Amino acid sequence: MSCVTLSLRASSRGGVRTEIQGKNHSWVIDEPKAFGGEDTAPSPVEMLLGSLAGCISAAGHLIAQEMGICLKALDISIDGDINSQVFLGKGDGGRAGFRQIRVSLTADADWTPSQREGWLRQVKSRCPVMDNLTFPTGVEIDFA
């Protein structure tokens, strides 16, 4: 089994706006004003949904190519239900994360119904973000 470690660094100074540096890219995450941010960038949970969309797209195009299918376009809509009151410390003690995520796909592709079904099955099983959202992943936090 081949494993690769991905690393990034993040920092925030005087607010919830967080600057993130990956290997070759940097980006910003912020919160809406209602959650203490300045709304200058997507929120962490929006980034999570966006990561799922990007991963489905990347996996979908790769798998279509492997299957010899011409995938001309792939449109992804994602909705997630979250109780923001838990984040604010006012919740009912329920989950802070998404309770349900719904993904809707439309595609322009030259495939049979059987190929489409096989493609979707592979996308679901090979997308790392989908895997991390579907199955528990250990998270260790070390406070230095």
Side-chain angles (χ1 to χ4, degrees):
M1 176 164 109
S2 177
C3 187
V4 175
T5 299
L6 303 177
S7 300
L8 59 83
R9 302 290 179 260
S11 64
S12 61
R13 301 286 186 260
V16 300
R17 179 183 163 95
T18 306
E19 296 179 7
I20 302 164
Q21 180 63 51
K23 180 179 177 186
N24 297 317
H25 304 282
S26 60
W27 63 98
V28 175
I29 294 177
D30 200 356
E31 288 284 357
K33 292 182 180 186
F35 298 124
E38 293 298 320
D39 206 13
T40 62
S43 73
V45 291
E46 287 174 315
M47 293 291 285
L48 179 69
L49 294 179
S51 293
L52 178 58
C55 191
I56 288 170
S57 177
H61 283 278
L62 175 69
I63 292 163
Q65 183 179 22
E66 289 172 356
M67 294 175 71
I69 295 168
C70 180
L71 180 57
K72 299 173 201 140
L74 179 61
D75 293 308
I76 305 163
S77 295
I78 300 181
D79 297 297
D81 302 324
I82 194 165
N83 182 352
S84 60
Q85 295 301 301
V86 176
F87 174 76
L88 295 172
K90 302 175 184 175
D92 56 9
R95 291 188 59 194
F98 287 107
R99 293 180 180 186
Q100 179 69 38
I101 296 173
R102 292 171 302 284
V103 179
S104 176
L105 306 175
T106 57
D108 181 4
D110 299 323
W111 51 23
T112 66
S114 175
Q115 287 174 316
R116 181 181 133 159
E117 183 179 303
W119 173 86
L120 183 57
R121 187 173 42 256
Q122 284 196 58
V123 168
K124 288 179 179 179
S125 69
R126 291 174 57 182
C127 170
V129 177
M130 175 82 74
D131 181 87
N132 278 284
L133 289 170
T134 305
F135 302 102
T137 301
V139 177
E140 298 177 20
I141 299 179
D142 177 29
F143 197 111

